[in-house]
Amino acid sequence: MSRAPRKPGFASRPSDPENWIRAAEAPPSGKAAGEAFTARLTIDITPELRGRIKVAAFRRGITVADMLRDLLAREFPATEGDPT
């Protein structure tokens, strides 16, 4: 009997890690270079605060990420001479 080709599992390793890593560095094709998100921010908050943030975003009809991006952009506006 012949076996069907084995499909890679969910967490399988890429066959060529170097190209796989470089592909992640390519800018997203759907967004302009200035609009691409290039960093992830992780903060520790209480479960209660997380719940309040999620409810506030839901009531506004936006995602938590979009709401927090707007808040951070408002609090820390770009100034002349800042790296882009």
Side-chain angles (χ1 to χ4, degrees), residues 57-84:
F58 178 77
R59 287 182 177 159
R60 296 174 189 183
I62 59 176
T63 65
V64 170
D66 287 339
M67 186 178 73
L68 293 177
R69 280 186 203 106
D70 291 343
L71 175 113
L72 291 170
R74 233 181 7 258
E75 289 296 317
F76 303 100
T79 58
E80 191 174 327
D82 283 350
T84 56

Side-chain angles (χ1 to χ4, degrees), residues 20-41:
W20 180 71
I21 292 169
R22 279 193 215 104
E25 295 171 357
S29 59
K31 296 184 179 195
E35 297 176 20
F37 304 121
T38 59
R40 182 169 294 234
L41 176 65

